[in-house]
């Protein structure tokens, strides 16, 4: 059987860290190709033929090209089913898996992106304090939802160590990496803080950070 050829196009401190972390967790061989999406000219022409969005991540898996961090992570798990990092279609956890994988990109990220833009990235004259305040309000509601899902605020129930059951999964890569964008916002959520620490203390996170 021929060996899979895997190449991840990555830019430091972007969403492409998620599949990078997952690749380290999977322990598979891959090539990491750096792309500077923030530099002058944004990206080179060759990369635009692979991803016309001029964004990262992009994954080449043999002859397949995939965009979007969540889609890439799901695909990598589908291609490596023995890893146990995603539940199979017959699992009771499959619906939870799908829900949280899409929740991160469809709901959780939006207030954080606005918060980042209007507190750090945009020129000061374009920042809006009202957007910052509204984003913080929205994000705190999201933190409550995640915390409650793990029974983080109920001492009478067993607190879940991970998002879907008691084993680490790709959902935890998606959720914990996003929570770690603004770790200072977790001060009212000690269970979530412990959860993030538990995830990022995995050896795979450390090796991914060295390559980030």
């Amino acid at each position: 059987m021929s060996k899979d050829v895997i190449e991840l196009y990555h830019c430091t401190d972007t969403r492409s860290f998620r599949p990078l972390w997952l690749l380290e967790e999977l322990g598979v061989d891959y090539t990491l190709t750096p792309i500077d999406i923030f530099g002058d000219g944004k990206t080179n022409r060759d990369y635009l033929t692979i991803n016309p969005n001029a964004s990262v991540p992009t994954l080449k898996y043999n002859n397949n090209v995939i965009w979007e961090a969540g889609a890439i992570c799901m695909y990598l798990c589908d291609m490596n089913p023995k890893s146990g990092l995603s539940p199979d279609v017959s699992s009771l956890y499959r619906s939870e898996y799908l829900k949280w994988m899409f929740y991160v990109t469809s709901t959780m990220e939006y207030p954080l992106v606005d918060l980042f833009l209007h507190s750090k990235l945009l020129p000061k004259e374009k920042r809006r304090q009202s957007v910052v305040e509204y984003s913080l309000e929205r994000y705190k509601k999201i933190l409550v939802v995640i915390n409650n899902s793990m029974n983080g605020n109920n001492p009478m129930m067993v607190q879940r160590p991970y998002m879907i059951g008691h084993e680490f999964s790709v959902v935890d890569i998606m959720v914990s990496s996003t929570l770690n964008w603004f770790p200072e916002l977790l001060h009212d959520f000690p269970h979530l803080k412990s959860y993030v620490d538990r995830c990022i203390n995995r050896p795979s996170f450390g090796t991914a950070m060295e390559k980030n």
Side-chain angles (χ1 to χ4, degrees):
M1 181 180 293
S2 61
K3 186 177 180 181
D4 290 324
V5 179
I6 304 171
E7 183 176 8
L8 177 67
Y9 293 84
H10 167 70
C11 183
T12 300
D13 295 334
T14 65
R15 294 177 180 88
S16 61
F17 180 77
R18 294 164 175 167
L20 173 58
W21 182 1
L22 176 57
L23 285 165
E24 289 297 322
E25 187 73 33
L26 290 169
V28 296
D29 293 330
Y30 66 94
T31 299
L32 187 65
T33 300
I35 294 291
D36 182 9
I37 63 170
F38 300 111
D40 294 337
K42 203 167 187 182
T43 51
N44 60 53
R45 288 187 177 182
D46 290 341
Y47 183 64
L48 291 175
T49 64
I50 300 168
N51 188 338
N53 301 293
S55 62
V56 289
T58 301
L59 182 78
K60 280 186 176 180
Y61 199 108
N62 297 329
N63 294 322
N64 296 317
V65 176
I66 311 156
W67 312 326
E68 301 299 325
I72 290 170
C73 287
M74 294 177 73
Y75 183 82
L76 285 171
C77 287
D78 287 348
M79 298 302 291
N80 295 272
K82 293 182 180 180
S83 69
L85 290 171
S86 67
D88 64 40
V89 293
S90 63
S91 170
L92 294 175
Y93 290 117
R94 184 70 179 186
S95 60
E96 288 285 296
Y97 159 72
L98 293 172
K99 177 180 74 178
W100 291 116
M101 289 296 287
F102 284 88
Y103 184 82
V104 171
T105 56
S106 300
T107 301
M108 187 179 179
E109 281 188 0
Y110 278 93
L112 291 178
V113 170
D114 285 342
L115 181 60
F116 180 71
L117 286 172
H118 288 271
S119 64
K120 297 181 179 182
L121 187 61
L122 290 175
K124 289 186 177 181
E125 65 273 14
K126 293 186 177 182
R127 298 178 190 178
R128 296 292 181 266
Q129 183 60 28
S130 60
V131 175
V132 171
E133 293 172 359
Y134 181 61
S135 298
L136 284 170
E137 181 182 342
R138 288 171 63 201
Y139 185 56
K140 286 180 180 179
K141 291 178 180 178
I142 289 169
L143 292 177
V144 169
V145 170
I146 297 173
N147 191 58
N148 288 349
S149 76
M150 301 179 76
N151 299 325
N153 64 338
N154 192 341
M156 303 301 293
M157 298 182 69
V158 176
Q159 295 182 341
R160 291 165 64 171
Y162 297 108
M163 288 300 297
I164 53 172
H166 294 276
E167 299 295 332
F168 182 82
S169 74
V170 66
V171 172
D172 299 301
I173 288 177
M174 295 290 289
V175 173
S176 67
S177 63
T178 309
L179 290 172
N180 207 34
W181 287 2
F182 286 90
E184 66 273 17
L185 299 181
L186 300 180
H187 56 81
D188 290 331
F189 300 90
H191 182 65
L192 293 185
K193 177 64 169 63
S194 297
Y195 162 70
V196 172
D197 290 344
R198 187 178 309 116
C199 292
I200 67 177
N201 281 330
R202 296 179 71 84
S204 59
F205 179 86
T207 53
M209 283 297 293
E210 292 175 359
K211 299 178 180 181
N212 185 26

